[in-house]
């Protein structure tokens, strides 16, 4: 992804990971014909080598699930460390932030084991714990998706 302000670019994999893991909201964006759709989600994140993966879950029906299944591809955005930087001049107001944007392929996890593993990653994002148990009845009625990142860029503005 081409970035105009290269001086704000964050390129080190570990620094990008740090931004992602400090975020509490993952925004998933779809291009559905002429109608954009964006939805904020809880998420989990892993990186193995160069492969970055996000996990998110949903009820079994709805627009998000329909678009995941129909398109199999989406954009995403995360941001953190937001702070307004006021100034005496209105045009010199600024905002500090760290952000990550990208896009990737979406796969629906279908087996109970895959769903449980994805939900473990999500729960680990918010609890720093990885030994949750999920009843089969919950897994059966929950959709779990994996987004495999194809493009990513990160920025930090102090």
């Amino acid at each position: 992804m081409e970035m105009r302000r290269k001086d704000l670019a964050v390129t080190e994999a570990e620094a990008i990971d740090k931004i992602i893991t400090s975020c509490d909201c993952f925004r998933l964006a779809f291009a559905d014909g002429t109608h954009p759709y964006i939805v904020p989600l809880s998420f989990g994140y892993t990186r193995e080598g160069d492969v970055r993966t996000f996990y998110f879950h949903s009820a079994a029906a709805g627009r998000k699930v329909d678009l995941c299944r129909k398109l199999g591809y989406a954009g995403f955005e995360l941001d953190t460390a937001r702070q307004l930087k006021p100034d005496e001049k209105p045009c010199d107001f600024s905002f500090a932030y760290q952000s990550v944007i990208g896009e990737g392929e979406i796969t629906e996890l279908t087996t109970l084991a895959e769903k449980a593993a994805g939900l473990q990653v999500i729960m680990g994002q918010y609890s720093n714990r990885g030994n949750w148990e999920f009843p089969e009845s919950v897994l059966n009625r929950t959709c779990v998706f994996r987004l495999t990142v194809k493009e990513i860029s990160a920025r930090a503005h102090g």
Side-chain angles (χ1 to χ4, degrees):
M1 302 182 94
E2 189 64 32
M3 186 180 300
R4 183 182 60 82
R5 292 278 313 267
K6 295 191 184 321
D7 59 311
L8 302 179
V10 176
T11 57
E12 294 292 323
E14 293 77 16
I16 294 171
D17 291 349
K18 187 174 180 181
I19 294 170
I20 291 169
T21 57
S22 70
C23 292
D24 60 4
C25 181
F26 174 78
R27 292 172 190 86
L28 192 62
F30 296 96
D32 186 21
T34 59
H35 302 287
Y37 179 69
I38 187 165
V39 60
L41 302 165
S42 56
F43 72 99
Y45 170 75
T46 63
R47 180 173 61 89
E48 295 179 19
D50 291 335
V51 179
R52 291 180 163 97
T53 306
F54 289 95
Y55 295 88
F56 56 95
H57 70 294
S58 176
R63 187 171 182 192
K64 172 181 55 196
V65 171
D66 292 344
L67 289 171
C68 284
R69 291 174 177 159
K70 174 184 168 185
L71 301 174
Y73 204 85
F76 62 86
E77 186 274 346
L78 306 97
D79 59 80
T80 190
R82 297 170 303 276
Q83 182 178 355
L84 179 64
K85 299 173 89 178
D87 195 274
E88 292 300 315
K89 300 177 196 169
C91 292
D92 288 339
F93 266 62
S94 184
F95 219 89
Y97 64 89
Q98 297 175 338
S99 67
V100 175
I101 63 168
E103 56 190 65
E105 294 178 353
I106 298 173
T107 304
E108 185 172 1
L109 306 181
T110 56
T111 69
L112 297 180
E114 288 176 324
K115 289 180 178 187
L119 291 172
Q120 287 291 359
V121 176
I122 295 167
M123 291 304 300
Q125 175 74 21
Y126 299 98
S127 70
N128 294 319
R129 183 176 144 197
N131 59 345
W132 296 94
E133 291 186 30
F134 304 99
E136 188 173 332
S137 62
V138 170
L139 295 174
N140 282 328
R141 68 175 184 262
T142 304
C143 289
V144 181
F145 294 93
R146 174 180 61 227
L147 183 145
T148 304
V149 174
K150 297 301 176 190
E151 292 191 36
I152 195 166
S153 66
R155 299 175 82 154
H157 186 272

